[in-house]
Amino acid sequence: MKPALLRLLGCPSCGSDLELSASRARPLELGAQEESRLRDLGRDVRNYAEEIDEGLLRCTKCAQEYSIVRGVPRFVASPQPEVASVMRSYTAQWDDFSYGGGTIWHWGLPERIKSFLFEIDAGADELRGKLLIDAGCGSGITISAVSDQFSAEAVGLDLSNSVEAANLHNKSPLCHFVQASVFEPPFKARVFDVVYSHGVLMMTPDTRRAFLSIAPLAKPGGKVYLWVYGKKRGLQRLKFLVVDGVRFFVWRLPSTLQRLAVAILAAISQIVQFVKHRLGRASIPMPNWRQARAGIRDRYTHRYRREHTESEVRGWFEEAGLRDPAAKQEMIGAPWTKGSTDVGLLARVPE
Ligand SMILES: C[S@@+](CC[C@H](N)C(=O)[O-])C[C@H]1O[C@@H](n2cnc3c(N)ncnc32)[C@H](O)[C@@H]1O
């Protein structure tokens, strides 16, 4: 963690300021270019030039303590059992991720960055010096690249241990990572210019409640973007019900048996994909073995996987005081998602 993050943090229990004590820290080598970029943005370089590897964050009001472990502040010491189950299954999924290729679910990093800009309706220049949060950042590759390319200060939040690898692979001094739940975001209210969450909240015990927990992090005039699975229709609905039926058993399996189930399902899906490719009827690029395994983990090993209608999601925006969100569900560079019922909405926070 870099000291610069402290000004954004708030106690997840009572919302008060946190104080920081570092027990192990090291200087970060920032090049001359990075230093001048930080100065141009009006940032104090010293706050970005140190990595606190181990330490403690203590609430100035309720005295609750949160540790910083291997460079990441942790706000998940005692999660509720439903949340703990998701934390375990996603940790196992991201442990298998390779940062080499940067492709997740057949979707490459350049397309993810283009989609991010499209989803939040921003030009590249607009993000300079802005504060963004990616709620449920997973591997962190998108938010880290966005921060680096567009000089935006960004936070990646995730429940799983993925944030540890995300922090290690992060090259942007303006990007921070925290391990926390969207239900108790450890930030001050109304500090972010953009609150972004793609493909996350429907994997939690309560999508609506999760959205109402993160939406207030956006400042007046800021933007809130949410993408969740839409209610499937026709044959897709049938497919979803079958997947859900299998998931009902797979997520409950002990880890060794679950690994075996994942390997079997991944092998079946690879054979199906291979045949589709040979017949010229494939809609997605042929995944490698690791990607196939990640896809299967994502479908079958998590406790929650919900679908929502657009009008349902619009209702949550209304509840959060966000009027007339614009529909923005297209994923650029992912043609197989065309015509899907998935829901992506963007709204501006009233001034
Ligand atoms: C399908 S992945 C999407 C990751 C990323 N947004 C992306 O598009 O690559 C869902 C992510 O949500 C995270 N997640 C699930 N429940 C969460 C919670 N309660 N709080 C924070 N993150 C959560 C998981 O750990 C996982 O990384």
Coordinates of all heavy atoms in Angstrom, one line a residue, residues 86 90 94 105 112 136-138 157-160 180-183 198-200 204 298, ligand 1:
V86 N -17.6 -17.3 -1.2 CA -17.3 -16.7 -2.5 C -15.8 -16.3 -2.5 O -15.1 -16.4 -3.5 CB -18.2 -15.4 -2.7 CG1 -17.8 -14.8 -4.1 CG2 -19.7 -15.8 -2.7
Y90 N -13.4 -17.7 -5.5 CA -12.7 -16.8 -6.4 C -11.2 -16.8 -6.2 O -10.4 -16.6 -7.2 CB -13.3 -15.4 -6.4 CG -14.3 -15.2 -7.4 CD1 -15.7 -15.1 -7.1 CD2 -14.0 -15.3 -8.8 CE1 -16.7 -15.0 -8.1 CE2 -14.9 -15.1 -9.8 CZ -16.3 -15.0 -9.4 OH -17.2 -14.9 -10.4
W94 N -8.6 -17.2 -9.3 CA -7.6 -16.3 -9.7 C -6.2 -16.8 -9.5 O -5.2 -16.4 -10.2 CB -7.8 -14.9 -9.0 CG -9.0 -14.2 -9.5 CD1 -10.1 -13.8 -8.8 CD2 -9.2 -13.7 -10.8 NE1 -11.0 -13.2 -9.6 CE2 -10.5 -13.1 -10.8 CE3 -8.5 -13.7 -12.0 CZ2 -11.1 -12.5 -12.0 CZ3 -9.1 -13.2 -13.2 CH2 -10.3 -12.5 -13.1
W105 N -11.5 -14.7 -20.3 CA -12.8 -15.1 -21.0 C -12.7 -14.6 -22.4 O -13.6 -13.9 -22.9 CB -14.0 -14.5 -20.2 CG -14.0 -15.0 -18.8 CD1 -14.1 -16.3 -18.5 CD2 -13.9 -14.2 -17.6 NE1 -14.0 -16.4 -17.1 CE2 -13.9 -15.2 -16.6 CE3 -13.8 -12.9 -17.3 CZ2 -13.8 -14.8 -15.2 CZ3 -13.7 -12.5 -16.0 CH2 -13.7 -13.4 -15.0
R112 N -10.7 -4.6 -23.4 CA -11.2 -4.3 -22.1 C -11.1 -2.8 -21.8 O -12.0 -2.2 -21.3 CB -10.4 -5.0 -21.0 CG -10.8 -6.5 -21.0 CD -10.0 -7.2 -19.9 NE -10.7 -8.4 -19.5 CZ -11.4 -8.5 -18.4 NH1 -11.4 -7.6 -17.5 NH2 -12.1 -9.6 -18.2
G136 N -14.7 -5.1 -7.4 CA -14.6 -6.4 -7.9 C -13.7 -6.5 -9.1 O -14.0 -7.0 -10.2
C137 N -12.4 -6.1 -8.9 CA -11.5 -5.9 -10.0 C -10.8 -7.2 -10.4 O -10.2 -7.2 -11.5 CB -10.4 -4.9 -9.5 SG -9.4 -5.6 -8.2
G138 N -11.0 -8.3 -9.7 CA -10.4 -9.6 -10.1 C -8.9 -9.5 -10.2 O -8.2 -9.1 -9.3
L157 N -10.7 -3.0 -5.9 CA -11.2 -3.6 -4.7 C -11.7 -5.0 -5.1 O -12.4 -5.2 -6.1 CB -12.4 -2.8 -4.1 CG -13.2 -3.4 -3.0 CD1 -13.8 -2.3 -2.1 CD2 -14.4 -4.3 -3.4
D158 N -11.3 -6.0 -4.3 CA -11.8 -7.4 -4.5 C -11.8 -8.1 -3.2 O -11.0 -7.9 -2.3 CB -11.0 -8.1 -5.6 CG -11.8 -9.2 -6.3 OD1 -12.0 -10.3 -5.7 OD2 -12.4 -9.0 -7.4
L159 N -12.8 -9.1 -3.2 CA -12.9 -9.9 -2.0 C -11.9 -11.0 -1.9 O -11.4 -11.4 -0.9 CB -14.3 -10.5 -2.1 CG -14.8 -11.5 -1.0 CD1 -14.9 -10.7 0.3 CD2 -16.1 -12.1 -1.4
S160 N -11.4 -11.5 -3.1 CA -10.5 -12.6 -3.1 C -9.1 -12.2 -2.9 O -8.8 -11.0 -3.0 CB -10.7 -13.3 -4.5 OG -10.1 -12.5 -5.5
A180 N -11.4 -6.3 0.2 CA -12.6 -5.9 0.9 C -13.9 -6.4 0.2 O -13.8 -6.8 -0.9 CB -12.7 -4.4 1.1
S181 N -15.0 -6.3 0.9 CA -16.2 -6.7 0.3 C -17.0 -5.5 -0.2 O -17.0 -4.4 0.5 CB -17.1 -7.5 1.3 OG -18.4 -7.7 0.8
V182 N -17.7 -5.6 -1.2 CA -18.6 -4.5 -1.7 C -19.6 -4.2 -0.7 O -20.2 -3.1 -0.7 CB -19.2 -4.8 -3.1 CG1 -18.2 -4.8 -4.2 CG2 -20.0 -6.1 -3.0
F183 N -19.9 -5.1 0.2 CA -21.0 -4.8 1.2 C -20.5 -3.8 2.3 O -21.2 -3.2 3.0 CB -21.5 -6.1 1.9 CG -22.3 -6.9 0.9 CD1 -21.7 -8.1 0.4 CD2 -23.5 -6.5 0.5 CE1 -22.4 -8.9 -0.5 CE2 -24.2 -7.3 -0.5 CZ -23.7 -8.4 -1.0
H198 N -18.1 -4.3 -13.0 CA -18.4 -5.1 -14.2 C -18.4 -6.6 -13.9 O -17.3 -7.2 -13.6 CB -17.4 -4.8 -15.4 CG -17.8 -5.5 -16.6 ND1 -18.2 -4.9 -17.8 CD2 -17.9 -6.9 -16.9 CE1 -18.4 -5.7 -18.7 NE2 -18.3 -7.0 -18.2
G199 N -19.5 -7.3 -13.9 CA -19.6 -8.7 -13.8 C -19.3 -9.2 -12.4 O -18.6 -10.3 -12.2
V200 N -19.7 -8.5 -11.4 CA -19.4 -8.8 -10.0 C -20.6 -9.0 -9.1 O -20.7 -10.0 -8.4 CB -18.5 -7.6 -9.4 CG1 -18.2 -7.9 -8.0 CG2 -17.2 -7.5 -10.2
T204 N -22.7 -12.1 -5.7 CA -22.8 -11.9 -4.3 C -24.1 -12.4 -3.7 O -25.1 -12.6 -4.5 CB -22.6 -10.4 -3.9 OG1 -23.9 -9.7 -4.3 CG2 -21.5 -9.7 -4.6
D298 N -15.6 -20.3 -13.3 CA -16.5 -19.1 -13.2 C -18.0 -19.5 -13.2 O -18.8 -19.0 -12.6 CB -16.2 -18.1 -14.3 CG -16.6 -16.7 -13.9 OD1 -16.1 -16.3 -12.8 OD2 -17.4 -16.1 -14.5
Ligands
LIG1 C1 -16.5 -12.6 -12.7 S1 -15.2 -11.8 -11.7 C2 -15.1 -10.3 -12.5 C3 -13.8 -9.6 -12.3 C4 -13.6 -8.3 -13.1 N1 -14.6 -7.3 -12.8 C5 -13.5 -8.6 -14.6 O1 -14.4 -8.2 -15.3 O2 -12.5 -9.3 -15.0 C6 -16.1 -11.4 -10.2 C7 -15.2 -10.8 -9.2 O3 -16.1 -10.4 -8.1 C8 -15.4 -10.6 -6.9 N2 -16.4 -10.6 -5.8 C9 -17.4 -11.4 -5.6 N3 -18.1 -11.1 -4.4 C10 -17.5 -10.0 -4.0 C11 -17.7 -9.1 -2.9 N4 -18.7 -9.4 -2.0 N5 -17.0 -8.0 -2.7 C12 -16.0 -7.7 -3.6 N6 -15.7 -8.5 -4.7 C13 -16.4 -9.6 -4.9 C14 -14.7 -11.9 -7.1 O4 -13.7 -12.1 -6.2 C15 -14.3 -11.8 -8.5 O5 -12.9 -11.3 -8.6

